[in-house]
Amino acid sequence: MIGRLSGHIVEEGDEGTVVLDVAGVGYEVTVPLGAVGRARGIAGSDAITLFVHTHVREDALLLYGFATREDRAAFRVLIGISSIGPKIALAILSALGAAELAAVIARRETARLTAIPGVGKKTAERLVLELKDKLVNLPAVPASPAAAPPAPTGAKQDLLHSALTRMGYRPAEAERAITALGARVESAPLGDLVRDALALLSK
């Protein structure tokens, strides 16, 4: 099983996949939104390290990569819940980091969970019920409500704000980018919004 990969990103796909070149071998890894940016911020260079979960199916061997061990641990807890597959788990971790997810669960904020694509009311309630005693055991993941940073109101704004802050931008910078995007925030796809926000923040 592959547990960690270090190398350079040589391709980025539209479906959350990247190809990580490790000593001349390209590994296709599926990552949550913002994971590559966070990993680059941690590494301080173009070379990054992804903490990998190897998912084995009858017809495929899939790699899922995360910027931190805590996010990988949260992913493993999530896919252990009935009806939560890797796709929904990635969507959750694209919107909320492990610490923030633990805080949301501790406060029973089902509205924050239902704002995530693919998570309905029943799924959110199941997550709160089944995760309340599991995420607190993750290393370096505080269960305190204070772990969640303030975010602007609006479901899509919350997701975009969370994605930008997880990439290493300060909350004020994220809010500035969201304000600059204006009405597009509630209508455009989240991936497009992240790219546009990054372009604004790079100026």
Side-chain angles (χ1 to χ4, degrees), residues 30-153:
T30 303
V31 297
L33 186 66
V36 172
R38 291 182 66 210
R40 282 179 175 147
I42 293 169
S45 68
D46 289 337
I48 67 169
T49 294
L50 294 175
F51 295 91
V52 174
H53 171 79
T54 304
H55 191 72
V56 180
R57 298 190 327 209
E58 289 184 2
D59 60 341
L61 190 151
L62 306 172
L63 303 179
Y64 296 95
F66 305 89
T68 67
R69 290 184 178 88
E70 292 73 33
D71 282 351
R72 181 181 63 183
F75 176 81
R76 288 172 170 171
V77 170
L78 285 167
I79 62 174
I81 296 174
S82 175
S83 78
I84 302 295
K87 185 176 181 179
I88 293 179
L90 283 177
I92 292 170
L93 291 171
S94 291
L96 304 167
E100 191 175 2
L101 176 61
V104 167
I105 295 299
R107 289 200 300 267
R108 304 180 65 87
E109 291 184 339
T110 55
R112 291 286 301 279
L113 296 171
T114 56
I116 300 169
V119 179
K121 184 178 179 182
K122 289 184 178 180
T123 300
E125 291 172 348
R126 185 184 305 114
L127 287 168
V128 168
L129 180 65
E130 297 201 29
L131 293 179
K132 63 180 181 180
D133 297 322
K134 294 180 180 178
L135 289 183
V136 293
N137 296 323
L138 291 177
V141 179
S144 166
T153 58

